[in-house]
Structure formats: structure tokens, C-alpha cells
Amino acid sequence: MTSSKDIKPFSKPACASITLPGSKSITNRAMILAAVSGGELEIKNALFSRDTIIMADCLKRLGYAVDSDRDSRSINISARGQTVPNQQAELFVGNAGTAARFVTALCAANKGGEYFFDSDEAMYKRPIKGLIDALRQQGSEFEFVGKRDCFPFKMRAGGLSGGEVQIDASASSQLLSALLMASPLAEKKTKVMLSSGTVSRPFVEMTLNMMVDFGFQCKKLPDGSFEIGTKLPDTKRKAYFVEPDATAASYFAILPALTGGAILLEDFANCTLQGDLKFLDILEECGLVKIHKVTGGALAVKAEDLGDKDLKSINFSDISDTFLTLAAASAALKEKIKIEGISHTRAQETDRVSAMANELKKVCQEVSEGEDYLEISPWEDTGKALENLNGPVDIKTYADHRIAMSFGILGSADIFHTGRPWIRIEDPQCVSKTWENFFDILDSARESSEKFRIVAVDGGAAVGKSSVSKAVSKMLNLMHVDTGSHYRTLTFALIEANLADADEVKAAEFLSRIELGTSFDKANSYSARMTLGGRLVRDEDLRTKAVNERVSIFASMPAVRNFLKDYQRSMAGYAKEHGFSGLIMEGRDIGSVIFPDADVRIFLDADEQTRAQRRAKEGISDSIAARDHMDKSRKTAPLVCPQGATLIDTSNLTKDDVIARTAAEICKAI
Ligand code: DC
């Protein structure tokens, strides 16, 4: 009996960071290239899944030293020379397309070697003929156990002669990739010519880019052929970092469209090799999320104002693994969408086009299905229709990991605003094909998002604290508090009471008669404002010349600071009571004095010229330098970069960059 999993919706906007598994295609290519280059390589961030384990096992049987450590996600390969170490081996390639093709080509290069290949039955039917023909041309011989030109078979390796080699890779681009990666072991330069086109071009690009990266001589010629030199890299790579898997990223990149908030995809900023990266552009084009690159990662944020996009159809033929992600989440779209170029996915894990249509209909999506497309209508009344259903909708997964993951993401939307699960995934274990602990990661992303967090943002005047804090508060559902306005409010009241020149004793005496309160207009803003005896002082009255001149003087008085301390700390409870995901408080001493244990401490800085320019642009004349000097040099709670704070110099960054970096720190915090 297979189990099922109820998906718990996110009751708060997403706020989590995700460590993605490494890419399978890159992991297996890196292993082969390590073997071909003949050095010692540590593959970091490697994927551990059935297909990569099969590849590692084949290399071991061929005599390479392979040492894998699942916990640290690394695979060490030592090739101790150029050619395949063992002259004979029995190899099992399972149903791993990459291992089946890449290892066959590698073995063919070892003249005189004898190798027996077997596989899962499913592999008996998958294409290998194109590669076998290309290897025959160069001297290898084959004996087939069953059907001609299919697994299982015995190969007598004839080496690779090089020269002009024809290959028919129309059935799979892996046939071509296999030949390209083995060709540096040929006797002379190889020119690989395609006898007909190939599919999944981005994967061929991936192969070429990785070969160049490993130091092999290879190029694509204008006539569409490929030239591979025989000179092996002089300096062998010692380590290779596998890009996080872009298809896996698609699930968490789209999540904020359904839950709100933001998700940080760790180590994702510098990915370049994978065709599925294009999916992130599609998400932006659809107006679902906005992607920001931040140091080391990519931040996916629910799009607020990308506007209505006129996106009628999108062709997924090059990135078809990701069509399911968009199809399942199309509930969040405003317009009808046509997903095209997907007929070949009918012959994948399952008939993905029909399977998606069936399951989407179960959750009240209006879907029309064609041989090569799905057309999905917006999901306006679905919530209502679903409310009448008893219990969660059973989603069949057809042993297809991508259906399970896509609907897991859809079920994360809290459509009833009750936290009640409304999607039940059958056979959730099927995700182990590429991402064993996907549902654990989804659960911990939800738990992280539901944890209350305190964010302290400190910095001098005009470094951008307010605009950044306000934007982040809206993005992540945090209550925003500007403590500068607290000091300004008290200064305003003191001036109004003719106490502009009051000393600390007089100021304290005045404050002891004041009652602090909080005003809050959640419909229009995420900012809580301080009131004095129930009165909210207008913004413009807080920024007068008189207030600007006096505020740092009053702020340097311990009595004034103490008066505000408890009030400011009480804002955390206030934010919780009002259903926020956390509190973002900005000022000069938030991370150092008010919340020294804040979950996130950010210190913003900018050079003086930039700050003066920013203020001038806002039409504010303010002696920033003088105020900063006073704030930094006072005895009580001086302006400092708090211990453990992330310092962001905003001088050369756009506001959006600073917002994204700050949000990324918050996503990472818990
Ligand atoms: O951020 P602002 O310019 O509105 O702040 C006004 C003044 O308040 C600033 O000169 C220093 C003071 N302040 C402070 O001392 N501690 C805080 N946490 C916030 C502001």
C-alpha cells in the first residue's frame, strides 16, 4: 500500500532559504569528465540519487577510485591516468540515460577492452543506436543479447580513431554528449557531424561548456559540427562545484506566487549551465514572481506590481521539465495561459500532458488539452468550489516525481485562510527520483516561514533605512517601526511645550507626564506609529528644521532613551498580536541595545556624498554629518554596527538591491 501526504498550507507568507540538490546532469557529466581528464577531482554539491549512484558504480567497476560522501555531498574521483583502468568489466546502467550513454562512449575509447553492459528493462527500449553506430565507425564491435542495437550488449572496444564521425542524435541529445565527452581520448582530432538534428539543445550546450571549463579543446563550428582536440588539459581541475538543480529550483521559485513572501535559493546566483534556468525568466514574464540576484543566491519574491502581462502562450519544448511547475501553479495567474511544445512529455515518466490535465481538473481548474499543449484558465472561483469538497483532493502522481512536487507547491497556498490542507499527494515517495527529501524541505520552509522573527536595521541618517525597512516589511509581512520617529515625536512635544532647551532633568520630568500609545492603520501601511496621549503627530511636523536641530541632543539623554526602551521592546508583542510574521525595527541602537538578540541584524551604511545627494533629492536640508557625529559620539547607545550584523554599504547599490539583500538575510535567519 502506498502512503499519501496532506499538504499543510503556509499560514504566513513564505520566508525561508532553500538548499537545492545539485544538478543530476552536471554531476554525471563531471564524473565522466574527471575520468577522461585523468586527474583527481572532488565534485562538490553532487547530487546523490539513483542515476548518479549508478554512474559512480560504473566508474568504480572500470577501476577508477571513487569515494562518495553523501553527508558532505561530495564525490572524489581519481583517474590515475588517461584511459579506462580495467580492461574488462560488467556494468549495470539501470535506467540512467546519462550513465548508459556516457559510459559506453568512455569504454569504447579503451582499445582492446571488453565490457558487458546491462540495464533495467526500461532501458532496453531507450535509444542507443546512434551512439553505437558512431563507435562502430571508429573501430568498436558489439554483440547484442536481445534486440540489435539495444541494451544489453557486449562491446569490444576498438578505441576512438577520431577524424570525421557521423552521429544520429535525433532520438536523444545524450548520444551526442556522450561522443563529445569521450572524443578527447581519440587518436586524432575528431569532427563530430550530426546526420540529423538533435533534441534538447541546452543539454549539448551544457556538455560543451563543461568541457571548456575542464580545459578540453572543443568548439562548435559554424556548419553545426563539433571539433574536439586530443590534447588533455595541462592543469587538471582539483574541484568542481555542481550547480544547484534548476528544475528543482522551479518549485520553490514559484512558491511565493502562491503563498506571498520570498524564498532564497541558496548558491543559485551564478548558475549558467542549465537550460531550465530560463524558467525563472518565464516566471517574471508571467508576473508571478520577481527574481533578484543576491550575494551567492537568488531571491524569488511574490510580484506585486509587474502589472497584467499579455502572455497567451509559452513554448516549453526546451525546458519541458518545468512545464508542470507552471501548470500546477497557474491558479495564481490572472490570464488564461497556453503551455505548448510538450507533446514529447507524453512519453516520459507518464503521459505528463494528460496527467496534469486530469489532476488540475480535480482542483477545479478549467483545462483544455491538445496533443502538444494545455490551456489553463484563471482560477477565480475555484476557492469557492473547493470549499464544498469534503476533505483534501486526492492527487494521483503516476509515479512521476514532478507531478508530486508541483502539486505539493500548489497545496501550500492557504486558499481557505484556515490552514486546512486541501491537497493530498498520493505516493509522495516518488520524489526520490531526483529529490529525496523534497517534502521535508517544503515542511521546514513552512515552519521557518511561520516563525516570528525580529529584524534590527541600524545605520546613520539617509542611508536608506526607512525605505528599505518599509519595502521589506510589506514583502515579508513584518510590522515596521521607525524609532527615529519616536525621538522626533518626543522632540516635537518638547519644543511645543517650550522646552526646546530643556536639560535632562526637565525633559525627564516632562516625559513622566506623557502616555505613549500606538496607532496603526493596517489597511494602508505596515508601519506602527507612536502616539502621545492618543495623539499622532503629523509626519511633516516631525521633520521640521527645529526638530532636526534638537533631536540628536534629546536622543543623547539617557533619561529619554530609557523612557523609550520598554515601549520599543513592547512592539514585538504588539506585532505578534496583530498577526505579523515579525517585526522590523529601524534606528541607531536596535541591534545593539533594544534587541541585541534580534534574529537578524542589518547595518546600512553609505558614503557621506551619496547620503547628502539622497537627502537633497528628497528636498530635505539636514546637517547629516553633524547629526551622525553626535549620534556616534554620545555616551549612551551610540550609533555602532552591532556585533554579528550584516553590513551593507548602499552607496553603489540600487534600492531594490538593498531590499533584496536585506530580505535574503531574513529568509536565511531561521
Ligand atoms: O532616523 P532619524 O533621522 O529619523 O532619527 C532622528 C534622530 O533620532 C537621529 O539623529 C538619532 C536619533 N535616534 C536614536 O538616537 N536612536 C534611534 N534608535 C533612532 C533615532
Side-chain angles (χ1 to χ4, degrees), residues 8 10 15-16 440-453 670:
K8 245 178 141 184
F10 280 48
C15 184
D440 296 336
I441 298 218
L442 182 58
D443 281 338
S444 56
R446 191 192 63 251
E447 283 156 19
S448 158
S449 306
E450 288 171 354
K451 276 196 183 130
F452 189 84
R453 54 197 82 198
I670 290 175

Side-chain angles (χ1 to χ4, degrees), residues 253-571:
I254 211 167
L255 180 71
L258 294 157
T259 59
I263 288 285
L264 177 67
L265 304 167
E266 298 266 12
D267 289 321
F268 207 65
N270 302 320
C271 291
T272 55
L273 291 170
Q274 303 166 76
D276 281 357
L277 289 167
K278 208 178 122 203
F279 183 71
L280 300 188
D281 300 335
I282 290 179
L283 286 183
E284 290 201 317
E285 283 161 23
C286 291
L288 287 173
V289 298
K290 195 137 184 38
I291 312 280
H292 303 272
K293 284 198 170 177
V294 291
T295 324
L299 185 78
V301 181
K302 180 179 167 45
E304 291 293 340
D305 40 32
L306 286 180
D308 280 344
K309 303 285 159 172
D310 191 21
L311 258 184
K312 295 201 170 55
S313 68
I314 304 177
N315 192 307
F316 273 80
S317 61
D318 271 353
I319 54 163
S320 59
D321 272 349
T322 59
F323 99 77
L324 303 90
T325 316
L326 181 65
S330 56
L333 287 166
K334 292 196 180 102
E335 304 284 335
K336 190 186 254 193
I337 193 158
K338 190 170 181 185
I339 293 174
E340 294 181 293
I342 51 176
S343 59
H344 63 285
T345 70
R346 289 184 181 274
Q348 292 183 330
E349 274 78 347
T350 181
D351 177 339
R352 286 182 158 166
V353 182
S354 288
M356 250 354 249
N358 289 344
E359 303 314 302
L360 283 172
K361 283 175 193 161
K362 286 190 193 163
V363 291
C364 308
Q365 287 282 93
E366 204 185 301
V367 186
S368 76
E369 178 189 343
E371 174 57 24
D372 191 34
Y373 71 86
L374 283 177
E375 198 166 37
I376 309 169
S377 295
W379 197 34
E380 277 152 11
D381 298 324
T382 308
K384 247 184 260 157
L386 283 171
E387 225 152 357
N388 301 326
L389 295 171
N390 279 333
V393 180
D394 280 308
I395 298 295
K396 238 179 109 170
T397 45
Y398 310 82
D400 186 342
H401 54 137
R402 306 224 172 274
I403 293 184
M405 294 193 272
S406 304
F407 278 91
I409 296 297
L410 178 62
S412 299
D414 191 12
I415 56 170
F416 304 123
H417 307 290
T418 57
R420 173 157 70 88
W422 59 282
I423 284 221
R424 175 172 294 155
I425 305 285
E426 284 180 9
D427 185 22
Q429 293 86 349
C430 68
V431 297
S432 65
K433 178 144 205 267
T434 47
W435 198 350
E436 231 166 33
N437 56 350
F438 170 82
F439 284 111
D440 296 336
I441 298 218
L442 182 58
D443 281 338
S444 56
R446 191 192 63 251
E447 283 156 19
S448 158
S449 306
E450 288 171 354
K451 276 196 183 130
F452 189 84
R453 54 197 82 198
I454 294 181
V455 182
V457 179
D458 288 299
V463 289
K465 293 190 304 293
S466 275
S467 54
V468 168
S469 301
K470 278 183 193 161
V472 170
S473 72
K474 196 168 168 217
M475 182 190 286
L476 297 176
N477 184 42
L478 309 173
M479 190 175 90
H480 165 242
V481 175
D482 165 15
T483 59
S485 75
H486 296 168
Y487 289 94
R488 288 175 180 276
T489 303
L490 296 184
T491 304
F492 170 84
L494 283 156
I495 295 171
E496 199 182 43
N498 287 322
L499 289 168
D501 296 319
D503 61 12
E504 189 168 355
V505 176
K506 278 200 189 126
E509 197 273 325
F510 172 77
L511 295 177
S512 69
R513 286 181 273 123
I514 277 181
E515 192 201 332
L516 299 183
T518 305
S519 137
F520 188 58
D521 175 13
K522 198 174 181 186
N524 294 312
S525 130
Y526 284 69
S527 303
R529 305 277 304 273
M530 190 174 85
T531 56
L532 297 180
R535 172 184 173 204
L536 180 69
V537 182
R538 294 183 315 165
D539 246 350
E540 51 268 44
D541 292 334
L542 297 181
R543 301 206 166 263
T544 59
K545 194 159 175 277
V547 171
N548 277 344
E549 278 168 9
R550 305 299 301 161
V551 64
S552 286
I553 297 169
F554 286 120
S556 69
M557 296 176 178
V560 174
R561 304 201 75 81
N562 277 333
F563 177 72
L564 283 175
K565 203 190 270 177
D566 287 345
Y567 172 75
Q568 288 173 348
R569 286 185 178 156
S570 75
M571 287 296 103

Side-chain angles (χ1 to χ4, degrees), residues 101 105 128-135 137-138 164-180 183 190-198 224-226:
R101 282 100 185 205
I128 185 79
K129 180 177 187 315
L131 178 65
I132 283 178
D133 285 342
L135 299 176
Q137 277 175 60
Q138 300 190 73
E164 289 197 353
V165 179
Q166 289 274 348
I167 183 164
D168 177 355
S170 56
S172 161
S173 64
Q174 288 173 2
L175 305 170
L176 173 59
S177 287
L179 183 61
L180 294 176
S183 291
T190 310
K191 184 172 180 185
V192 176
M193 293 177 297
L194 286 170
S195 54
S196 52
T198 183
S225 66
F226 303 87

